[in-house]
């Protein structure tokens, strides 16, 4: 069982994430936490100096964070994008596809089960934030 | 018909393995029921009153005989020998055991079928016109677009945990046979003045406890922007749809609360951004899919003459046969509404027979309709009489399409854990009471739901029945004036409810008033709209 998962080569970011309000108020913070009802687009002017964005998943059924992840990646964010909260094995794959590359689940996950889930689909149908080529792209080159 | 290539097959096969794994983890206690629930729901597996229910997707209602035979096999092997065709153009099995679910999905995958996204808060199976590809009045076959949408929406990573379920319907005629504007998104394939293909986009329809007819959001969406635009529609909903209250979580509430204009503005803004991401497949992908839906090799020079000397056959032709686009062909509807039967149920033997008949007489194609019938879309007129005889011998030739006994009914309290009242016995009594006079009553769409969730489309019935719980007893409210067709409207509750026999009597009073006040050629709905609610209310309550 693991407490956290990270799919990045760079060193983990040490600075604690501040709230969105605190970040917009101050700040030279380089890490911010976005609650599920907060607008990811508010961060777009500051992406260059952010090294960590943590997106809250208060309940696995609350899917707003998936859109937040994609919006940040679509705007060119390359830092760590961490899903934190009620993150379960079966959510890791869609989260990876939406651009998340780090996970801080409330309850530890079985890394073997995560590996199985991530490797299961050799094809996907749609273009998302993970760079995988959709089936139509493979069909037509 | 669309055929899977190795990409499609690999995705469906992977799903079978994934679900087996999820079931195993559930059975081993690694997943709680609360955690398992959204996973099984995304695979169409419900826990009902007596057993699990499995909902199998029939994308846009189209099947071939091999797939239909598989549905019969599953009914025999894993259920009690029958299946239930539903308003979502799908089939449901009501007596499934959890341990068998993986095997059933594996069997389905051998014939390019699955149960993916037939429930759960995700983009559900897309529905369409059951006459697609055969109807004389369509601009083009809508199903290639539905297939494109099926692929795009399958395991869409961003839209797997939407605020609530999401249903899309696509049609291609002005006549709406799919209740398009009662869906979260309704699309109508159309052409603009320049002759280009595109869509009218309606967003925010639905039934349930707050029924709404979807407003028009985009008058003409060019086909090349199809998926980008849908992605924008969904993204706005995923971000801003309400999550505080399950009854207010459908997109119709969002569109209603912020208004169609504001929703449109947000979507258009999001669309400008999404369009830059390159998520629309190239035209070649549409052409690839479209080729699977090429018209069958219809015989040329066939006669449109029909020998109607057998009066029972004539009744069936008059009622259940619809105009086909090719000379010498017809569209035949097999009614799954025998008088006094359970609407939508078919036995495994009947399912096999329908599969055989499709193979012999309908270019191997069948359709499931949202009013719970089966269609053979391409039948030579010269074969109609033989076809009818074979159907008749199997109890499948009821000549009642669009008549009162061709009603929609949800499973109700006989199966469903959310129900307030039974739907099936009421359906049976109505069917028996009015069968003798239904030809005279003409087109009459009666729809029954066992609770406010409205799975039986009662809001959209010319006559709707809603089962409620009145101090612990089953009670039925009567609604009049709804329509799920191109003249979409929502029914209005007449007044205090009735018990099981009382509701049948109330309908009789309603219909007597209709017969007494109708003008020549008027359907019940037309008369209702002309003379108004009060006339009927007075007839019902005196
Ligand atoms: C296990 C039995 C079932 C359960 C628990 C169930 C649950 C529900 C619920 C909760 C709603 C309301 C959704 C809302 O208002 O947001 C609903 C609506 C609906 N369901 Fe079912 N349902 C069941 C069976 C069926 C069947 C047999 C069909 C036919 C295929 C069906 C098709 C529909 C349709 C067409 C609607 C209304 C359209 C809309 O969602 O706006 N359901 N269902
Ligand atoms: S309308 Fe109510 S009773 Fe009927 S199937 Fe839906 S949830 Fe069950």
């Amino acid at each position: 069982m693991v407490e956290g998962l990270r799919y990045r080569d760079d060193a983990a970011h040490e600075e604690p994430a501040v709230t969105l309000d605190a970040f917009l108020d101050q700040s030279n913070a380089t890490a911010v936490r976005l609650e599920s009802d907060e607008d990811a687009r508010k961060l777009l002017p500051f992406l260059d100096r952010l090294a960590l964005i943590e997106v809250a998943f208060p309940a696995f059924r609350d899917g707003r964070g998936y859109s937040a992840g994609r919006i940040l990646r679509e705007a060119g964010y390359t830092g760590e994008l961490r899903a934190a909260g009620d993150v379960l094995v079966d959510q890791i794959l869609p989260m990876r596809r939406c651009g998340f590359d780090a996970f801080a689940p409330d309850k530890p996950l079985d890394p073997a089960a995560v590996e199985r889930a991530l490797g299961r689909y050799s094809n996907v149908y749609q273009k998302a934030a993970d760079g995988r080529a959709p089936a139509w792209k493979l069909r037509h080159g | 018909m669309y055929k899977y290539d190795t990409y499609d097959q690999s995705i469906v096969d992977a799903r079978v393995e994934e679900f087996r794994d999820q079931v195993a983890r559930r059975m081993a206690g690694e997943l709680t029921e609360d955690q398992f629930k959204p996973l099984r729901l995304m695979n169409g597996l419900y826990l009902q009153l007596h057993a699990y229910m499995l909902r199998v997707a029939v994308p846009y209602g189209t099947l071939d005989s091999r797939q239909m035979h598989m549905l019969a096999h599953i009914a025999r092997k894993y259920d009690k020998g029958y299946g239930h065709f539903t308003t979502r153009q799908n089939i449901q099995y009501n007596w499934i055991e959890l341990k068998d679910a993986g095997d059933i999905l594996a069997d389905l995958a051998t014939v390019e079928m699955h149960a993916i996204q037939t429930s759960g808060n995700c983009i559900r199976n897309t529905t369409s016109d059951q006459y697609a590809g055969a109807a004389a009045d369509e601009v083009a076959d809508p199903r290639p677009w539905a297939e494109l949408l099926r692929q795009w929406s399958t395991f869409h990573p961003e839209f797997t945990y939407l605020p609530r379920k999401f249903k899309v319907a696509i049609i291609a005629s002005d006549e709406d046979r799919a209740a398009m504007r009662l869906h979260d998104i309704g699309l109508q394939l159309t052409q603009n003045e320049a002759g280009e293909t595109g869509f009218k986009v309606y967003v925010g329809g639905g039934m349930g406890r707050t029924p709404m007819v979807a407003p028009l959001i985009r008058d003409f969406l060019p086909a090349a922007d199809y998926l980008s635009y849908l992605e924008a529609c969904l993204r706005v909903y995923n971000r801003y749809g309400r999550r505080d209250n399950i009854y207010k979580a459908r997109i119709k509430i969002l569109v209603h609360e912020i208004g169609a204009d504001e929703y449109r503005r947000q979507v258009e803004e999001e669309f400008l951004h999404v369009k830059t991401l390159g998520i629309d497949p190239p035209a070649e992908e549409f052409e690839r899919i479209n080729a699977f839906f090429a018209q069958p090799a219809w015989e040329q020079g066939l006669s449109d003459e029909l020998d109607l000397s057998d009066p029972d056959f004539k009744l069936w032709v008059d009622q259940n046969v619809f105009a086909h686009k090719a000379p010498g062909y017809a569209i035949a509807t097999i009614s799954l509404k025998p008088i006094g039967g359970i609407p939508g149920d078919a036995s495994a033997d009947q399912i096999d027979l329908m599969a055989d008949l499709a193979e012999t007489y309908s270019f191997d194609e069948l359709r499931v309709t949202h009013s719970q019938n089966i269609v053979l879309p391409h039948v030579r007129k010269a074969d109609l009489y033989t076809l009818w005889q074979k159907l008749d011998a199997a109890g499948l030739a009821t000549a009642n399409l669009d008549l009162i006994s061709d009603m929609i009914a949800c499973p109700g309290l006989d199966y469903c854990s959310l129900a307030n009242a039974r739907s099936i016995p009421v359906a049976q009594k109505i069917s028996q009471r009015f069968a003798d006079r239904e030809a005279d009553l003409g087109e009459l769409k009666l729809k029954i739901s066992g609770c406010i969730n409205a799975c039986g489309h009662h809001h959209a019935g010319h006559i709707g029945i809603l089962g409620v719980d009145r101090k612990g007893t089953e009670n039925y409210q009567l609604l009049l004036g709804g329509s799920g067709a191109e003249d979409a409207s929502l029914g209005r509750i007449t007044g205090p409810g009735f018990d099981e026999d009382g509701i049948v009597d109330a309908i009789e009073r309603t219909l007597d008033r209709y017969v007494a006040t109708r003008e020549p050629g008027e359907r019940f709905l037309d008369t209702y709209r002309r003379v108004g609610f009060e006339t009927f209310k007075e007839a019902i309550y005196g």
Side-chain angles (χ1 to χ4, degrees):
Chain A
M1 293 292 158
V2 290
E3 305 280 333
L5 289 165
R6 203 158 177 279
Y7 297 85
R8 297 181 64 88
D9 297 332
D10 58 354
H13 194 70
E14 295 301 335
E15 190 185 303
V18 303
T19 66
L20 178 65
D21 282 346
F23 177 83
L24 296 175
D25 265 4
Q26 9 163 328
S27 123
N28 39 24
T30 56
V32 63
R33 174 180 164 96
L34 207 57
E35 299 305 327
S36 67
D37 59 353
E38 289 175 335
D39 182 2
R41 290 210 161 100
K42 295 220 168 95
L43 292 174
L44 298 194
F46 315 106
L47 294 182
D48 283 352
R49 64 174 160 88
L50 276 164
L52 167 66
I53 302 175
E54 182 172 286
V55 178
F57 286 84
F60 66 84
R61 285 191 193 80
D62 184 342
R64 285 175 283 196
Y66 295 92
S67 290
R70 277 193 72 189
I71 284 168
L72 293 166
R73 292 301 189 205
E74 285 161 9
Y77 176 65
T78 56
E80 178 169 337
L81 188 57
R82 182 192 294 164
D86 195 10
V87 174
L88 307 172
V89 169
D90 298 281
Q91 275 87 59
I92 304 278
L93 174 65
M95 285 176 176
R96 291 284 289 137
R97 297 221 61 216
C98 288
F100 290 92
D101 53 13
F103 302 89
D106 286 342
K107 295 196 198 76
L109 300 177
D110 172 1
V114 173
E115 275 319 296
R116 274 204 307 280
L118 285 179
R120 186 163 274 128
Y121 289 91
S122 44
N123 292 293
V124 294
Y125 275 130
Q126 53 299 92
K127 197 167 163 186
D130 57 351
R132 289 180 75 175
W136 57 259
K137 179 85 186 152
L138 301 175
R139 284 170 179 141
H140 301 284
Chain B
M1 252 186 74
Y2 187 70
K3 293 270 176 270
Y4 283 7
D5 64 7
T6 54
Y7 300 111
D8 301 303
Q9 191 69 48
S10 86
I11 289 171
V12 169
D13 289 345
R15 175 50 142 200
V16 175
E17 287 320 307
E18 180 177 42
F19 194 61
R20 275 192 202 283
D21 185 59
Q22 290 166 346
V23 170
R25 281 188 284 144
R26 172 71 189 119
M27 292 178 93
E30 288 171 35
L31 289 173
T32 64
E33 169 56 21
D34 194 44
Q35 291 169 339
F36 181 56
K37 190 174 170 191
L39 303 175
R40 68 169 163 76
L41 283 183
M42 247 172 275
N43 247 313
L45 195 64
Y46 281 84
L47 195 52
Q48 296 204 113
L49 284 177
H50 313 292
Y52 280 97
M53 175 270 270
L54 180 72
R55 191 181 279 167
V56 175
V58 180
Y60 34 92
T62 295
L63 291 159
D64 64 17
S65 61
R66 190 175 61 121
Q67 294 172 322
M68 192 73 165
H69 280 305
M70 178 57 78
L71 297 182
H73 162 78
I74 289 168
R76 260 189 212 103
K77 184 162 176 196
Y78 304 103
D79 198 289
K80 294 186 174 179
Y82 56 92
H84 179 73
F85 289 95
T86 77
T87 52
R88 301 275 311 137
Q89 296 183 301
N90 290 335
I91 184 169
Q92 282 176 195
Y93 296 100
N94 283 316
W95 301 98
I96 295 302
E97 291 188 48
L98 181 58
K99 68 170 175 51
D100 291 333
D103 291 339
I104 299 175
L105 295 184
D107 284 355
L108 288 170
T110 64
V111 296
E112 303 177 16
M113 292 184 84
H114 57 75
I116 295 166
Q117 290 169 212
T118 53
S119 49
N121 292 337
C122 49
I123 304 171
R124 304 285 190 89
N125 183 35
T126 301
T127 52
S128 187
D129 185 340
Q130 68 267 19
Y131 300 158
D137 61 355
E138 70 184 13
V139 264
D141 191 334
R143 292 172 303 161
W145 298 103
E147 174 58 26
L148 206 56
L149 198 144
R150 182 191 74 80
Q151 298 192 19
W152 164 78
S153 63
T154 297
F155 305 135
H156 195 298
E158 188 177 339
F159 306 134
T160 304
Y161 296 94
L162 293 168
R164 202 72 180 90
K165 58 171 104 169
F166 205 91
K167 302 175 182 181
V168 185
I170 307 185
I171 63 170
S173 317
D174 286 332
E175 194 176 311
D176 179 2
R177 291 174 285 262
M180 180 269 287
R181 288 182 69 193
L182 291 165
H183 287 73
D184 296 280
I185 292 186
L187 298 163
Q188 183 180 351
L189 193 65
T190 183
Q191 283 184 345
N192 66 6
E193 278 160 20
E196 295 154 344
T197 298
F199 299 89
K200 284 195 165 97
V201 184
Y202 296 86
V203 185
M207 295 196 238
R209 65 186 63 209
T210 322
M212 291 191 191
V213 176
L216 185 66
I217 295 298
R218 183 62 112 81
D219 190 38
F220 186 80
L221 172 69
D225 298 335
Y226 176 57
L227 294 182
S228 290
Y229 197 81
L230 293 180
E231 186 125 342
C233 288
L234 265 299
R235 179 175 282 181
V236 170
Y237 170 55
N238 191 44
R239 300 186 75 208
Y240 299 113
R242 287 181 60 172
R243 291 175 188 263
D244 57 325
N245 179 340
I246 186 177
Y247 302 119
K248 297 190 190 289
R250 297 286 292 269
I251 195 171
K252 63 192 171 190
I253 303 292
L254 174 69
V255 173
H256 183 72
E257 284 182 351
I258 67 177
D261 290 337
E262 173 60 15
Y263 175 75
R264 178 185 303 111
R265 190 194 63 74
Q266 294 186 16
V267 168
E268 294 291 340
E269 188 178 307
E270 190 69 49
F271 167 68
L272 287 181
H273 162 67
V274 169
K275 188 60 197 173
T276 64
L277 303 174
I279 62 165
D280 280 297
E284 299 86 72
E285 176 64 354
F286 176 75
E287 291 311 325
R288 183 189 74 87
I289 293 173
N290 198 32
F292 287 107
F293 294 93
Q295 294 187 346
W298 291 317
E299 284 174 51
Q300 302 300 309
L302 293 183
S303 157
D304 273 316
E305 290 297 309
L306 258 184
D307 176 358
L308 295 173
S309 51
D310 182 332
D312 288 336
F313 174 59
K314 179 175 187 312
L315 267 182
W316 182 78
V317 169
D318 287 348
Q319 206 59 49
N320 288 34
V321 171
F322 191 81
H324 194 282
K325 61 165 85 160
Y329 284 85
I331 305 174
T333 297
I334 303 173
S335 167
L336 298 183
K337 318 288 176 61
I339 302 306
I342 298 178
D345 270 16
S347 70
D349 289 347
Q350 288 177 325
I351 296 173
D352 273 333
L353 176 76
M354 291 188 277
D356 288 337
L357 293 175
E359 191 178 3
T360 313
Y361 298 114
S362 184
F363 292 88
D364 207 28
E365 245 194 71
L366 306 109
R367 310 290 174 75
V368 184
T369 82
H370 90 272
S371 47
Q372 306 180 275
N373 293 316
I374 300 294
V375 164
L376 299 180
H378 312 294
V379 183
R380 287 198 319 177
K381 285 190 175 160
D383 292 331
L384 276 175
Y385 190 66
T386 320
L387 172 69
W388 172 77
Q389 287 177 310
K390 291 184 178 177
L391 289 171
D392 197 31
L396 287 170
T398 314
N400 62 349
L401 183 67
D402 293 339
L403 301 181
I404 187 168
S405 64
D406 179 24
M407 66 190 79
I408 291 178
C410 81
L413 196 52
D414 290 297
Y415 295 102
C416 173
S417 52
L418 303 178
N420 287 324
R422 285 168 297 165
S423 307
I424 293 169
V426 178
Q428 291 170 318
K429 282 191 177 167
I430 293 171
S431 171
Q432 276 153 349
R433 174 85 63 97
F434 300 105
D436 288 344
R437 49 188 295 212
E438 67 179 342
D440 174 60
L441 294 171
E443 183 188 305
L444 212 165
K445 305 209 174 176
L446 189 135
K447 310 189 183 194
I448 309 176
S449 305
C451 80
I452 191 70
N453 287 322
C455 306
H457 290 198
H458 66 272
H459 301 292
H462 298 178
I463 295 180
I465 298 175
L466 165 63
V468 294
D469 175 86
R470 194 160 157 271
K471 300 189 187 126
T473 57
E474 294 166 68
N475 192 265
Y476 298 92
Q477 293 187 334
L478 183 61
L479 293 88
L480 299 178
S483 168
E486 58 283 359
D487 57 356
S489 61
L490 301 170
R492 180 166 165 198
I493 295 178
T494 54
F498 305 91
D499 67 11
E500 193 175 297
D501 290 316
I503 187 77
V504 187
D505 294 338
I507 290 172
E508 184 148 29
R509 293 194 291 279
T510 307
L511 294 177
D512 288 344
R513 179 59 59 96
Y514 157 61
V515 170
T517 47
R518 70 182 164 190
E519 287 181 353
E522 260 184 357
R523 303 171 301 163
F524 167 77
L525 184 63
D526 304 324
T527 305
Y528 172 85
R529 286 177 175 167
R530 179 173 55 80
V531 306
F533 176 80
E534 294 304 329
T535 312
F536 285 95
K537 183 167 180 171
E538 192 264 326
I540 295 165
Y541 296 97

